[in-house]
Amino acid sequence: MIRFILLQNRQGKTRLAKYYVPLEDSEKHKLEYEVHRLVVNRDPKFTNFVEFRTHKVIYRRYAGLFFSMCVDITDNELAYLESIHLFVEILDHFFSNVCELDLVFNFHKVYLILDEFILAGELQETSKKAIIERMSELERQE
Amino acid sequence: MGSQVGWGTSKEFTDIVKAIGEAKSKAEEERIVTAEIETLKKKIAEPDVPRKKMKEYIIRLVYVEMLGHDASFGYIHAVKMTHDDNLLLKKTGYLAVTLFLNEDHDLIILIVNTIQKDLRSDNYLVCCAALTAVCKLINEETIPAVLPQVVDLLQHPKELVKKKAVMALHRFYQRAPHTVSHLLPKFEKSVCDADPSVTSAALCALFDLITADPRPYKNMTGAFVNILKQVAERRLPKPYDYHGTPAPFIQIKLLKILALLGAGDKPMSDNMYNVLGDVIKKNDTHTNIGHAILYEAICTITSIYPHPKLLETAAEITSRFLKDNNHNLKYMGIDALGRVIKINPEFAEEHQLAVIDCLEDPDDTLKRKTLDLLYKMTRSSNVEVIVDRMIGYMRTINDSHNKTEIASRIIELAERFAPSNQWFIQTMNQVFELAGDLVPTKVAHDLMRLIAEGAGEEDEDADSQLRSSAVESYLQVLAEPKLPSILLQVICWVLGEYGIADGTYSAFDIIAKLCDVIEAHPADDAVKGYAVTAITKICAFEISAGKRVQLLPEYRAVVDELAASHSTDLQQRAYELMTFLDLPADVVATVMPMDASCEDIEIDKSLSFLSEIVETALANGARPYAPEHERMDLGGLGTLIPSTQNGPSSSLKFEAYERPVIPTPVLTPVQPTPLINEFEDQRDRRSLRTPHPSHSISIAPELDLINPESTRLRLDGVQRKWGRQTYSTQSSTTSADRDRSSNGAAGASDRGGSYAKDSGASQYESSRSTDRRKPVEISSEKQKLAASLFGGPSGSRVANTGNAVKPSRTAAHKSQVPRGGEKHQSSRSVPGSGRIADSDTSVPSSAPVPQAPPPDLLDLTDGETGHAAPLNDPFKLLEGLVDPQVGSSSATSAPPVKADVDLMSLYGPGQVISSGDGGSQPSGLTDMSGLPVSPLIGLTGVVVPNTQPGGPSVGKKGPSPQGSLQKDATARQAGVTPTVVNPDLFKDLLG
């Protein structure tokens, strides 16, 4: 199960944070800081996995943004690594050539997309098409 | 699509985001956010805020909260917004509350009603919004309130709603299983739904249920196998394909479930063999997601009832992973190897070198995973090498969580497989040194006991040798500047007990060392206590040996200081020491016998030596002793049950007991009563109950027995005072166990990999001292390491005695005579002598030859080296699809690359010029050097028209210059430029 998802830039600024387990605010900040420190200086050749307390963080860097996902120790690392990529593909579709700026100004939409992609800590929809359709339906309401 | 619509938020908000983005320091950001919070507080509380405006405020609250500030003042407005009829506002409200509130927040109760209503809505989008909120916000108490509606939605015509309802139900199960226990069959039904996303949601839930107890679901094995078969045969709708693989996430879930159902169950496993073979066969082995499925298949194959053919396949895939250059795959390979060798230990040998490469990899994650693997395959034949590695690793880490874990593993391995006591002590010393106070105290006590008891055999020589070596090593360790408290305690105890036992060191030397310890650790009472008691012991041994002991003035001063300590325990110990100095030799020898920490002290529990006194007392008319419970009964029931015999009065006695007749023998006035304190479980406690010189030890009982009625004997206290008795009861069994196990281990290692142990380990030791610089030696060194690690993976098994020796012998042999497959290794290390083309060599090519830096610097997204497997990288393939320009490393997209490069060079001068103005540019440029993303990055701020020719591909996708330009223009309208802080703002994430 996914414990939380973080989008952070290289400076450690949080661009998006979604928690699927209840945590205190102070705990969240500490954790964001720690995760950033863990991933930011890793050699790109290294594995995309880091052990984090009793869980593990699967991360992937896109341009200046780190997408980090904290999952259970028994979860399949590669699968979650790919789910991060799928998420980025969806974002890319939705924003057409997504860049960090899109996410900065439209963070609330990113949250909505994420809610369609992952629910209650599990992947709920792995079809890119379905999610994009949902989102455009919402856009039409606007 | 809807990308640019996002700018629709108000100028004010855009400004804030922009200002925060450009903040130069944390303090500046802080100031901006605080100001924003103030503004929001004011505005949000205004009456009649337009709803549209309110929506924006809520989003701004989310932003503030995301930056780590408290926005709780606005929660209530978010809650109100969920009541709105407008779908968008409602969704925003739900989004905000799911981000703001935890399930136990007080405001939840205000939302439950809205959720109930929304779950019944005709608009399926409203239902969806409510279901999303349900997953996050509903707690155990509120589950019943929404459960009926959620269950109804399982029948909803829209699969979107069905899926979310299934997930909500799953969430309820996780939170409070009993609330939905009657609904579990619903999952079984949903799993057969026509829509893959509903199936997948139900699989998540079933996976949890089956993990808890697989038995009720055994009959569904067929169904799962069927679904997996259909998925593998691509019968699912196309949109669920990912990188050409059909519904990979569903496949992985199914494989996980099958692993649980087939574990140790042959009939169930029989059903699975075929489909597992299919999944592997049909898999595309060139994508990451394909590897993910293969890995999961290995997990399944190794956990169900073994099937030789499939195991072979699993082993083959594992080898492939291990040989790959990609670190991620290596990592998965190491994990898979751990699973495969659980079934077939011989398999490890083939991959020893790959494993060692991973062990020496700079990547911490990989190293840890490899250590995990080694931990699993530790035997008595390779324990020394593995523990040595672990200790080496422990030196490099700071994180206390990891350290504790590694330390406990080392201790476990050392206790189970220690080849000799000496080694065990050395290892423990290192663990204490490195992990210090993270080690549980029990380990320290075990260590002391081991030193005291020795091997447990009747071999006194060996034992005393062990102690001498312990003393020797501890005296060396003491030279280190900083030692953890627990290690110091052990050291002090050992020095006190055995410091002068073999005559190498004089009492003077040891006392000097111990005094140094006391002076160096003024704040650590425990250590000081150990040290002063150790000094006492040394002095006592000297006195009983008939020598005269006089402390030097400076040591005397140390002891005096302790005698004036705030800690009563230290005081007592110090006074005991001083008392000892004046006692005659025979008394000292009785009180503090040499090397008696292992002697059992006989406790006369019936206290027969007192009977004389008791009889005298009875004869003098004293009441006989009644046990406590009888006295209690008498006290409680005294008035009801009149005593029939010898009680002078059966009712409660109100006047005080008589004063004791015999005066208390004089205790040394400063002598505090021994406290039951933190030292009470330390078995070297030798406090004195008879400090007065004229009393011999046999007087002791008198002290407490003046009045047997009023003062009860404290037997437990007596027991503790003398030597190691505290441990005697429990230790007798555990120490026997340890002896047995260590004997067994030693025996096993003698039988099995003795060659590997002796030669392998010593070779390894020596080779470790030779420098790593010489590349030719590395491979042989690795082989030696391999030999010592894998020499006897089955070494401890009697059946494999022959085998265990053989492989290690050959491995060691190979190191000298390169032949066969090994040729590659030695030749490879000569620089430039050609890369390995032979696929059957087991050497991963990552090692000593420095690899040319990957030419593809564009791809920050992936750790793979581009040239090694250009076509294997799914991301690049994808990027190629998404954007032909970016995939410039692959040959297929050559023309666009050219254009791109030209473009860059075209703007080359521009960059130089622009570096003069706009301070932010240069660093942005350097940062981007070699990144052929859209030329824009270098150009923001430079004259726009120039970019016009730069549109060779005006495709819909990819970082087309025009698209980027538009974005740039919009951005500049909004006033945002990439700053020094974050030059990546405009870079396409996939580029």
Side-chain angles (χ1 to χ4, degrees), chain A residues 10-11 20 42 44 47-49 60 64 76 82 85 89 95 97-102 106 125 134 137, chain B residues 6 124-125 171 240 242-243 296 328 363 365 863 875 878 927 958 967 981-982 984-985 987-989:
Chain A
R10 270 193 294 182
Q11 289 73 41
Y20 296 100
R42 279 176 65 86
T47 49
N48 292 72
F49 325 127
R60 199 159 170 172
N76 184 329
E82 287 309 282
H85 190 74
E89 280 183 24
F95 290 107
N97 310 328
V98 64
C99 67
E100 190 180 341
L101 209 62
D102 291 324
N106 297 290
E125 182 57 83
R134 297 284 344 277
E137 202 163 345
Chain B
Y124 77 99
L125 289 171
R171 192 65 165 175
Y240 286 90
Y242 173 76
H243 293 188
E296 206 57 61
N328 287 344
D363 183 354
T365 313
F875 302 107
L878 178 99
D927 227 67
K967 257 185 201 178
V981 194
N982 188 2
D984 287 326
L985 270 176
K987 197 153 73 166
D988 289 306
L989 291 180

Side-chain angles (χ1 to χ4, degrees), chain B residues 62-92:
Chain B
V62 172
Y63 191 70
V64 165
E65 184 110 337
M66 192 169 79
L67 291 175
H69 294 260
D70 179 43
S72 50
F73 62 89
Y75 290 178
I76 187 68
H77 298 280
V79 171
K80 273 191 209 151
M81 186 154 277
T82 60
H83 307 332
D84 204 290
D85 290 331
N86 180 310
L87 175 70
L88 276 178
L89 296 187
K90 189 183 271 300
K91 243 184 125 55
T92 310

Side-chain angles (χ1 to χ4, degrees), chain B residues 613-636:
Chain B
I613 303 168
V614 174
E615 272 161 28
T616 331
L618 282 174
N620 291 344
R623 271 202 303 158
Y625 172 75
E628 190 178 26
H629 57 94
E630 282 179 29
R631 271 177 291 156
M632 294 298 279
D633 286 352
L634 285 178

Side-chain angles (χ1 to χ4, degrees), chain B residues 199 203 221-236 246-259 272 274-280 282 293 297 300:
Chain B
T199 307
L203 285 176
T221 311
F224 291 128
V225 167
N226 247 331
I227 300 173
L228 184 55
K229 200 161 177 224
Q230 289 178 29
V231 177
E233 285 171 356
R234 297 180 178 276
R235 298 230 223 114
L236 255 46
F249 299 101
I250 295 181
Q251 286 196 47
I252 288 170
K253 259 283 153 357
L254 281 166
L255 285 169
K256 273 182 187 291
I257 290 177
L258 290 186
M272 301 173 190
N274 273 337
V275 77
L276 286 173
D278 280 359
V279 166
I280 293 175
K282 293 213 163 75
I293 293 176
T300 310

Side-chain angles (χ1 to χ4, degrees), chain A residues 111-129:
Chain A
Y111 275 119
L112 291 180
I113 297 174
L114 190 59
D115 275 345
E116 293 301 322
F117 183 49
I118 291 168
L119 186 62
E122 302 282 356
L123 294 182
Q124 66 153 325
E125 182 57 83
T126 52
S127 155
K128 200 189 321 182
K129 184 163 150 265

